[in-house]
Amino acid sequence: MCHDLDSRPPIPPLAGAAVDGERLELTSQDGTRFTGFHARPSSPSGAAMLILPDVRGLHPFYEELPLRFAEAGIEALSIDYFGRTAPPPPRGADFEHNPHVEQTSYATVLQDITAARDFLVARPDVRTIFSVGFCYGGRLAFLTAAREDLGLSGGIGFYGIVAGPGRVDLPAPADNVRVGQAPVLGLFGGADEAIPQDSIETYRRALDAAGVDSELVTYPGAPHSFFDRKAVEFADASADAWTRTLEFVRRQAAID
């Protein structure tokens, strides 16, 4: 289960912050046009975040999240996965995402991620880029951190499956750890049946063996997709996850 259409990030807007956000169209390496949502901070820190949604693609949760990053001084861009097979967002509650997910591939999603990365690289105030993803996107965030060609400064995965098979042909992050890769922050729910603790430990051992700077955190009793304003019983876990995310970016980007 991933975020519902009425889910929202459990992050209160920062009082007095001025940010600007808009949908835009990006062009993938194969010429596919796809939708993104871009938010610009009024006081840039030099860091940028590439946001990789869950299997529903670009929906309201991922149009609000860039604004919350921008309020923290982090330029942010969310992307959609379905530019090749579906009409662009916004999409209604009747949108059947699964057939479109099944038509994605690691190769084509990487082309879209690369185009989004290139967009951020060209931004005048961006010096360092991170990825953050949720569920399907969490697995992708871990994978992008290991890719030398993307040159990211870190990958943050919320409840991304780290070992064994996943959606379509996405490889397992635990099998794709690279010496010298970007640091990793993993955030998991202890009650998430899709991600047993032993799989997290498998990933941890692989990261440690490669000498990767990593932090894998499990919140006891929290389910999959706990990072949601509706999940009030897990507000403390969400607040801690957000704090760790911002601290990870500030530490890796050397932001004061």
PDB file of all heavy atoms in Angstrom, residues 160-186:
ATOM      1  N   GLY A 160      11.582   1.680   0.898  1.00  0.00           N
ATOM      2  CA  GLY A 160      11.898   1.050  -0.379  1.00  0.00           C
ATOM      3  C   GLY A 160      12.375  -0.378  -0.136  1.00  0.00           C
ATOM      4  O   GLY A 160      13.181  -0.631   0.767  1.00  0.00           O
ATOM      5  N   ILE A 161      11.878  -1.314  -0.918  1.00  0.00           N
ATOM      6  CA  ILE A 161      12.286  -2.713  -0.769  1.00  0.00           C
ATOM      7  C   ILE A 161      13.744  -2.851  -1.199  1.00  0.00           C
ATOM      8  O   ILE A 161      14.107  -2.476  -2.306  1.00  0.00           O
ATOM      9  CB  ILE A 161      11.370  -3.630  -1.592  1.00  0.00           C
ATOM     10  CG1 ILE A 161       9.939  -3.575  -1.031  1.00  0.00           C
ATOM     11  CG2 ILE A 161      11.879  -5.069  -1.586  1.00  0.00           C
ATOM     12  CD1 ILE A 161       8.920  -4.343  -1.836  1.00  0.00           C
ATOM     13  N   VAL A 162      14.572  -3.390  -0.304  1.00  0.00           N
ATOM     14  CA  VAL A 162      16.017  -3.344  -0.523  1.00  0.00           C
ATOM     15  C   VAL A 162      16.614  -4.660  -0.995  1.00  0.00           C
ATOM     16  O   VAL A 162      17.752  -4.688  -1.471  1.00  0.00           O
ATOM     17  CB  VAL A 162      16.752  -2.884   0.762  1.00  0.00           C
ATOM     18  CG1 VAL A 162      16.431  -1.437   1.058  1.00  0.00           C
ATOM     19  CG2 VAL A 162      16.390  -3.772   1.944  1.00  0.00           C
ATOM     20  N   ALA A 163      15.891  -5.764  -0.843  1.00  0.00           N
ATOM     21  CA  ALA A 163      16.433  -7.069  -1.223  1.00  0.00           C
ATOM     22  C   ALA A 163      15.344  -7.887  -1.910  1.00  0.00           C
ATOM     23  O   ALA A 163      14.158  -7.712  -1.635  1.00  0.00           O
ATOM     24  CB  ALA A 163      16.964  -7.802   0.005  1.00  0.00           C
ATOM     25  N   GLY A 164      15.763  -8.765  -2.808  1.00  0.00           N
ATOM     26  CA  GLY A 164      14.799  -9.604  -3.504  1.00  0.00           C
ATOM     27  C   GLY A 164      14.109  -8.866  -4.633  1.00  0.00           C
ATOM     28  O   GLY A 164      14.413  -7.715  -4.937  1.00  0.00           O
ATOM     29  N   PRO A 165      13.143  -9.535  -5.278  1.00  0.00           N
ATOM     30  CA  PRO A 165      12.466  -8.923  -6.428  1.00  0.00           C
ATOM     31  C   PRO A 165      11.602  -7.742  -6.024  1.00  0.00           C
ATOM     32  O   PRO A 165      11.104  -7.660  -4.904  1.00  0.00           O
ATOM     33  CB  PRO A 165      11.614 -10.068  -6.981  1.00  0.00           C
ATOM     34  CG  PRO A 165      11.415 -10.990  -5.822  1.00  0.00           C
ATOM     35  CD  PRO A 165      12.652 -10.889  -4.991  1.00  0.00           C
ATOM     36  N   GLY A 166      11.452  -6.818  -6.962  1.00  0.00           N
ATOM     37  CA  GLY A 166      10.585  -5.665  -6.753  1.00  0.00           C
ATOM     38  C   GLY A 166       9.687  -5.492  -7.966  1.00  0.00           C
ATOM     39  O   GLY A 166       9.471  -6.423  -8.734  1.00  0.00           O
ATOM     40  N   ARG A 167       9.155  -4.292  -8.124  1.00  0.00           N
ATOM     41  CA  ARG A 167       8.313  -3.998  -9.284  1.00  0.00           C
ATOM     42  C   ARG A 167       9.124  -4.068 -10.570  1.00  0.00           C
ATOM     43  O   ARG A 167      10.287  -3.664 -10.617  1.00  0.00           O
ATOM     44  CB  ARG A 167       7.711  -2.595  -9.146  1.00  0.00           C
ATOM     45  CG  ARG A 167       6.647  -2.482  -8.074  1.00  0.00           C
ATOM     46  CD  ARG A 167       5.292  -2.890  -8.625  1.00  0.00           C
ATOM     47  NE  ARG A 167       4.220  -2.543  -7.703  1.00  0.00           N
ATOM     48  CZ  ARG A 167       2.960  -2.383  -8.064  1.00  0.00           C
ATOM     49  NH1 ARG A 167       2.603  -2.544  -9.315  1.00  0.00           N
ATOM     50  NH2 ARG A 167       2.037  -2.075  -7.172  1.00  0.00           N
ATOM     51  N   VAL A 168       8.492  -4.541 -11.621  1.00  0.00           N
ATOM     52  CA  VAL A 168       9.089  -4.689 -12.956  1.00  0.00           C
ATOM     53  C   VAL A 168      10.526  -5.208 -12.834  1.00  0.00           C
ATOM     54  O   VAL A 168      10.772  -6.185 -12.130  1.00  0.00           O
ATOM     55  CB  VAL A 168       8.942  -3.400 -13.790  1.00  0.00           C
ATOM     56  CG1 VAL A 168       7.460  -3.161 -14.089  1.00  0.00           C
ATOM     57  CG2 VAL A 168       9.505  -2.158 -13.111  1.00  0.00           C
ATOM     58  N   ASP A 169      11.471  -4.555 -13.485  1.00  0.00           N
ATOM     59  CA  ASP A 169      12.827  -5.098 -13.501  1.00  0.00           C
ATOM     60  C   ASP A 169      13.801  -4.284 -12.663  1.00  0.00           C
ATOM     61  O   ASP A 169      15.016  -4.345 -12.891  1.00  0.00           O
ATOM     62  CB  ASP A 169      13.330  -5.191 -14.947  1.00  0.00           C
ATOM     63  CG  ASP A 169      13.453  -3.820 -15.621  1.00  0.00           C
ATOM     64  OD1 ASP A 169      12.834  -2.848 -15.117  1.00  0.00           O
ATOM     65  OD2 ASP A 169      14.132  -3.722 -16.661  1.00  0.00           O
ATOM     66  N   LEU A 170      13.299  -3.532 -11.665  1.00  0.00           N
ATOM     67  CA  LEU A 170      14.216  -2.763 -10.819  1.00  0.00           C
ATOM     68  C   LEU A 170      15.105  -3.734 -10.050  1.00  0.00           C
ATOM     69  O   LEU A 170      14.612  -4.603  -9.334  1.00  0.00           O
ATOM     70  CB  LEU A 170      13.451  -1.883  -9.826  1.00  0.00           C
ATOM     71  CG  LEU A 170      12.507  -0.817 -10.363  1.00  0.00           C
ATOM     72  CD1 LEU A 170      12.079   0.107  -9.222  1.00  0.00           C
ATOM     73  CD2 LEU A 170      13.123  -0.022 -11.495  1.00  0.00           C
ATOM     74  N   PRO A 171      16.417  -3.602 -10.145  1.00  0.00           N
ATOM     75  CA  PRO A 171      17.292  -4.510  -9.398  1.00  0.00           C
ATOM     76  C   PRO A 171      17.216  -4.261  -7.897  1.00  0.00           C
ATOM     77  O   PRO A 171      16.682  -3.236  -7.444  1.00  0.00           O
ATOM     78  CB  PRO A 171      18.682  -4.194  -9.950  1.00  0.00           C
ATOM     79  CG  PRO A 171      18.577  -2.867 -10.587  1.00  0.00           C
ATOM     80  CD  PRO A 171      17.158  -2.672 -11.000  1.00  0.00           C
ATOM     81  N   ALA A 172      17.749  -5.179  -7.130  1.00  0.00           N
ATOM     82  CA  ALA A 172      17.734  -5.062  -5.671  1.00  0.00           C
ATOM     83  C   ALA A 172      18.881  -4.163  -5.217  1.00  0.00           C
ATOM     84  O   ALA A 172      20.042  -4.410  -5.576  1.00  0.00           O
ATOM     85  CB  ALA A 172      17.855  -6.429  -5.031  1.00  0.00           C
ATOM     86  N   PRO A 173      18.602  -3.131  -4.422  1.00  0.00           N
ATOM     87  CA  PRO A 173      19.687  -2.280  -3.924  1.00  0.00           C
ATOM     88  C   PRO A 173      20.778  -3.049  -3.192  1.00  0.00           C
ATOM     89  O   PRO A 173      21.961  -2.715  -3.308  1.00  0.00           O
ATOM     90  CB  PRO A 173      18.947  -1.312  -2.992  1.00  0.00           C
ATOM     91  CG  PRO A 173      17.584  -1.203  -3.580  1.00  0.00           C
ATOM     92  CD  PRO A 173      17.277  -2.584  -4.079  1.00  0.00           C
ATOM     93  N   ALA A 174      20.403  -4.095  -2.431  1.00  0.00           N
ATOM     94  CA  ALA A 174      21.406  -4.862  -1.690  1.00  0.00           C
ATOM     95  C   ALA A 174      22.403  -5.540  -2.612  1.00  0.00           C
ATOM     96  O   ALA A 174      23.523  -5.853  -2.194  1.00  0.00           O
ATOM     97  CB  ALA A 174      20.723  -5.900  -0.801  1.00  0.00           C
ATOM     98  N   ASP A 175      22.016  -5.757  -3.872  1.00  0.00           N
ATOM     99  CA  ASP A 175      22.904  -6.385  -4.846  1.00  0.00           C
ATOM    100  C   ASP A 175      23.611  -5.357  -5.717  1.00  0.00           C
ATOM    101  O   ASP A 175      24.342  -5.730  -6.649  1.00  0.00           O
ATOM    102  CB  ASP A 175      22.116  -7.333  -5.752  1.00  0.00           C
ATOM    103  CG  ASP A 175      21.489  -8.478  -4.990  1.00  0.00           C
ATOM    104  OD1 ASP A 175      22.030  -8.882  -3.940  1.00  0.00           O
ATOM    105  OD2 ASP A 175      20.426  -8.963  -5.438  1.00  0.00           O
ATOM    106  N   ASN A 176      23.382  -4.082  -5.455  1.00  0.00           N
ATOM    107  CA  ASN A 176      23.937  -3.024  -6.311  1.00  0.00           C
ATOM    108  C   ASN A 176      24.649  -1.953  -5.498  1.00  0.00           C
ATOM    109  O   ASN A 176      24.618  -0.772  -5.847  1.00  0.00           O
ATOM    110  CB  ASN A 176      22.817  -2.396  -7.149  1.00  0.00           C
ATOM    111  CG  ASN A 176      22.391  -3.285  -8.302  1.00  0.00           C
ATOM    112  OD1 ASN A 176      22.878  -3.137  -9.412  1.00  0.00           O
ATOM    113  ND2 ASN A 176      21.490  -4.213  -8.037  1.00  0.00           N
ATOM    114  N   VAL A 177      25.287  -2.358  -4.428  1.00  0.00           N
ATOM    115  CA  VAL A 177      26.105  -1.449  -3.627  1.00  0.00           C
ATOM    116  C   VAL A 177      27.479  -1.322  -4.279  1.00  0.00           C
ATOM    117  O   VAL A 177      28.032  -2.313  -4.767  1.00  0.00           O
ATOM    118  CB  VAL A 177      26.224  -1.967  -2.179  1.00  0.00           C
ATOM    119  CG1 VAL A 177      27.202  -1.125  -1.383  1.00  0.00           C
ATOM    120  CG2 VAL A 177      24.849  -1.968  -1.512  1.00  0.00           C
ATOM    121  N   ARG A 178      28.016  -0.103  -4.282  1.00  0.00           N
ATOM    122  CA  ARG A 178      29.298   0.141  -4.951  1.00  0.00           C
ATOM    123  C   ARG A 178      30.258   0.863  -4.006  1.00  0.00           C
ATOM    124  O   ARG A 178      29.865   1.808  -3.322  1.00  0.00           O
ATOM    125  CB  ARG A 178      29.054   0.996  -6.199  1.00  0.00           C
ATOM    126  CG  ARG A 178      30.298   1.403  -6.967  1.00  0.00           C
ATOM    127  CD  ARG A 178      29.938   2.207  -8.207  1.00  0.00           C
ATOM    128  NE  ARG A 178      29.243   3.441  -7.893  1.00  0.00           N
ATOM    129  CZ  ARG A 178      29.854   4.579  -7.537  1.00  0.00           C
ATOM    130  NH1 ARG A 178      31.175   4.627  -7.433  1.00  0.00           N
ATOM    131  NH2 ARG A 178      29.143   5.663  -7.289  1.00  0.00           N
ATOM    132  N   VAL A 179      31.498   0.388  -3.959  1.00  0.00           N
ATOM    133  CA  VAL A 179      32.525   1.095  -3.200  1.00  0.00           C
ATOM    134  C   VAL A 179      32.655   2.518  -3.742  1.00  0.00           C
ATOM    135  O   VAL A 179      32.734   2.724  -4.956  1.00  0.00           O
ATOM    136  CB  VAL A 179      33.879   0.354  -3.296  1.00  0.00           C
ATOM    137  CG1 VAL A 179      34.973   1.175  -2.621  1.00  0.00           C
ATOM    138  CG2 VAL A 179      33.787  -1.022  -2.662  1.00  0.00           C
ATOM    139  N   GLY A 180      32.623   3.485  -2.871  1.00  0.00           N
ATOM    140  CA  GLY A 180      32.740   4.878  -3.280  1.00  0.00           C
ATOM    141  C   GLY A 180      31.438   5.525  -3.684  1.00  0.00           C
ATOM    142  O   GLY A 180      31.422   6.679  -4.116  1.00  0.00           O
ATOM    143  N   GLN A 181      30.320   4.802  -3.548  1.00  0.00           N
ATOM    144  CA  GLN A 181      29.030   5.371  -3.932  1.00  0.00           C
ATOM    145  C   GLN A 181      28.599   6.457  -2.958  1.00  0.00           C
ATOM    146  O   GLN A 181      29.194   6.671  -1.908  1.00  0.00           O
ATOM    147  CB  GLN A 181      27.969   4.280  -3.978  1.00  0.00           C
ATOM    148  CG  GLN A 181      27.545   3.766  -2.598  1.00  0.00           C
ATOM    149  CD  GLN A 181      26.204   3.036  -2.644  1.00  0.00           C
ATOM    150  OE1 GLN A 181      26.103   1.972  -3.223  1.00  0.00           O
ATOM    151  NE2 GLN A 181      25.201   3.621  -2.028  1.00  0.00           N
ATOM    152  N   ALA A 182      27.501   7.138  -3.283  1.00  0.00           N
ATOM    153  CA  ALA A 182      26.976   8.198  -2.427  1.00  0.00           C
ATOM    154  C   ALA A 182      26.397   7.606  -1.138  1.00  0.00           C
ATOM    155  O   ALA A 182      25.941   6.463  -1.108  1.00  0.00           O
ATOM    156  CB  ALA A 182      25.896   8.979  -3.164  1.00  0.00           C
ATOM    157  N   PRO A 183      26.404   8.381  -0.050  1.00  0.00           N
ATOM    158  CA  PRO A 183      25.820   7.924   1.217  1.00  0.00           C
ATOM    159  C   PRO A 183      24.331   7.631   1.096  1.00  0.00           C
ATOM    160  O   PRO A 183      23.655   8.108   0.176  1.00  0.00           O
ATOM    161  CB  PRO A 183      26.080   9.100   2.162  1.00  0.00           C
ATOM    162  CG  PRO A 183      27.243   9.822   1.566  1.00  0.00           C
ATOM    163  CD  PRO A 183      27.076   9.681   0.089  1.00  0.00           C
ATOM    164  N   VAL A 184      23.830   6.853   2.047  1.00  0.00           N
ATOM    165  CA  VAL A 184      22.451   6.390   2.030  1.00  0.00           C
ATOM    166  C   VAL A 184      21.806   6.608   3.398  1.00  0.00           C
ATOM    167  O   VAL A 184      22.419   6.357   4.436  1.00  0.00           O
ATOM    168  CB  VAL A 184      22.400   4.882   1.672  1.00  0.00           C
ATOM    169  CG1 VAL A 184      21.038   4.281   1.995  1.00  0.00           C
ATOM    170  CG2 VAL A 184      22.729   4.670   0.200  1.00  0.00           C
ATOM    171  N   LEU A 185      20.556   7.077   3.366  1.00  0.00           N
ATOM    172  CA  LEU A 185      19.698   7.112   4.548  1.00  0.00           C
ATOM    173  C   LEU A 185      18.460   6.294   4.229  1.00  0.00           C
ATOM    174  O   LEU A 185      17.756   6.579   3.247  1.00  0.00           O
ATOM    175  CB  LEU A 185      19.302   8.550   4.898  1.00  0.00           C
ATOM    176  CG  LEU A 185      18.250   8.723   6.001  1.00  0.00           C
ATOM    177  CD1 LEU A 185      18.749   8.189   7.340  1.00  0.00           C
ATOM    178  CD2 LEU A 185      17.834  10.191   6.125  1.00  0.00           C
ATOM    179  N   GLY A 186      18.193   5.254   5.011  1.00  0.00           N
ATOM    180  CA  GLY A 186      17.015   4.420   4.815  1.00  0.00           C
ATOM    181  C   GLY A 186      16.071   4.530   6.000  1.00  0.00           C
ATOM    182  O   GLY A 186      16.510   4.455   7.153  1.00  0.00           O
TER     183      GLY A 186
END
